[in-house]
Structure formats: C-alpha cells, structure tokens
Amino acid sequence: MSILAELLPAVPPVIGWAVHARWLHGRLTTARRDPLTGLWTRDAFTRRARRLLRDKRAVVVLADVDHFKQVNDTHGHAAGDALLAATARRLTHAVGHGGTVGRLGGDEFAAVFIDRDHTAPDRLDTLARVLARPVDGAPQVHTTVSLGWVRAADHHGEELPGLLRRADEAMYAAKRSSSPVRRARLGRLLASVAGRRPGRRGVA
C-alpha cells in the first residue's frame, strides 16, 4: 500500500480526495514530460499545439540538432544529453509562456508560438545563434541546430501534421544550405520528403 493511501483515511474525505486528485494530476503531468529535457512528449505537445493553431498568427517550428552522433562519439553520451537539455531550455525560453515545445524523439524538437508582433524571421535567426552556443559549463560541447518553420496563415485550413511536414521539409533545406533557418515554401509539399526520411513520422 502506498504512503498516500495510508494517509488518506486520517484526513476528512473532501481534503483526502483533493490531495489524491493533485497527486494524480502530478503523476499524469510527469508521464507527459520527457524525462531528459522536461519538454512535453509527442502526444502532450500535439494537444497544446492544436489549440495554439486556432490563432491565425501561429508559427510552427521544427528543430534538429546537427551532427548529434558526432557529439556523442567525441564527447560521450552524457555530453550529448547535456546538449539536448540545453537545446530544450533555449527553445523554451525563445518560445515564451504563450507557446509550447515538445521533444518528438531523439534530437528532434517541435514548437508552436504566436507571432503577435510579426517578428518570427528575426526571432528564429536569433534563436539559431543562441542554439549554436556551447553548453553552459562545457565549452567543448556545441553544434548548430537546423530550424524549419511555417506560418499557419500561409496554408489556411492545413492541420498540424501537414504544417510539421512543411517545417520538416524546410529544416532539411536548411541543413543543405549555409543558413541554419529556412521558411517553408508556398505551394504543394515535395513528395520526396517522406521517401528521403523513412524513419520520420508527422505528428498524428
């Protein structure tokens, strides 16, 4: 029997249920968080992102750490974990309280924020420079992060999976270019994206 179960009979029923509800809420929240970075997991991120996409000013961002395997191979997995945690903190700070950030898996992150002042290009350029800084306390651990982004208003009626695929396409264009940030192109998605990256899946 858990400590919580032992304590509940000793307090009035209403208070006991309130304590139990808070405990359950805490457990559920923990389950929706990635244990390494503290970010929302895929399902929890999806729910929050969909709510934000009701605002026509929403921007969807996909971020992928460049040369992550090389960081692990050179400095060890602890250094790689520190890099992922630092990337998560910096993304969260850049998005702010009104947005949401999730870890989709491995070294891939997604974010949605509301571009209230129409400064998304400048914000993301600044973010790319911040993400390229060394990890605090470990100057040898650093790399760039490629960012692809899309403005929801440019693709009226398109839902989160499609917007993430567009951001994904832009992110890989950034990896192939000299710029770490790329905006998604207008028009149809390139059919080659899915074939080029068989291990990736959009958020459903």
Side-chain angles (χ1 to χ4, degrees):
M1 181 179 295
S2 69
I3 295 175
L4 180 64
E6 293 175 358
L7 289 176
L8 285 177
V11 298
V14 173
I15 298 175
W17 280 113
V19 172
H20 186 62
R22 287 180 62 86
W23 177 79
L24 285 176
H25 181 267
R27 289 291 299 272
L28 287 170
T29 301
T30 301
R32 293 169 185 161
R33 293 281 190 178
D34 172 58
L36 174 62
T37 64
L39 296 181
W40 296 114
T41 56
R42 182 181 290 267
D43 289 343
F45 166 78
T46 298
R47 286 191 289 273
R48 286 158 177 79
R50 283 175 171 159
R51 287 198 293 268
L52 290 172
L53 286 173
R54 297 170 188 165
D55 191 318
K56 63 182 180 180
R57 300 168 297 175
V59 168
V60 178
V61 182
L62 207 61
D64 192 86
V65 179
D66 299 324
H67 315 297
F68 183 65
K69 183 179 184 301
Q70 182 177 330
V71 172
N72 273 336
D73 292 345
T74 303
H75 303 291
H77 289 281
D81 288 350
L83 177 60
L84 293 177
T87 299
R89 288 193 301 272
R90 293 165 180 176
L91 279 168
T92 301
H93 182 266
V95 165
H97 294 297
T100 188
V101 185
R103 184 185 180 194
L104 301 188
D107 57 345
E108 186 176 69
F109 304 86
V112 179
F113 66 91
I114 306 303
D115 186 22
R116 293 181 175 83
D117 50 3
H118 305 288
T119 59
D122 292 337
R123 286 177 67 177
L124 293 171
D125 284 340
T126 299
L127 174 60
R129 291 193 294 272
V130 171
L131 291 172
R133 294 174 182 168
V135 173
D136 294 343
Q140 76 280 10
V141 181
H142 64 94
T143 185
T144 54
V145 176
S146 295
L147 302 172
W149 68 281
V150 58
R151 198 182 294 278
D154 289 344
H155 305 278
H156 181 69
E158 194 156 61
E159 297 184 353
L160 181 61
L163 294 171
L164 280 171
R165 285 193 292 271
R166 291 181 182 278
D168 180 78
E169 180 182 293
M171 183 187 71
Y172 265 74
K175 284 184 179 292
R176 297 191 301 268
S177 73
S178 58
S179 171
V181 184
R182 277 293 183 93
R183 184 175 181 174
R185 61 194 291 275
L186 296 176
R188 297 179 63 185
L189 280 165
L190 295 179
S192 60
V193 172
R196 185 172 65 244
R197 306 178 64 215
R200 301 280 185 167
R201 297 176 297 172
V203 173

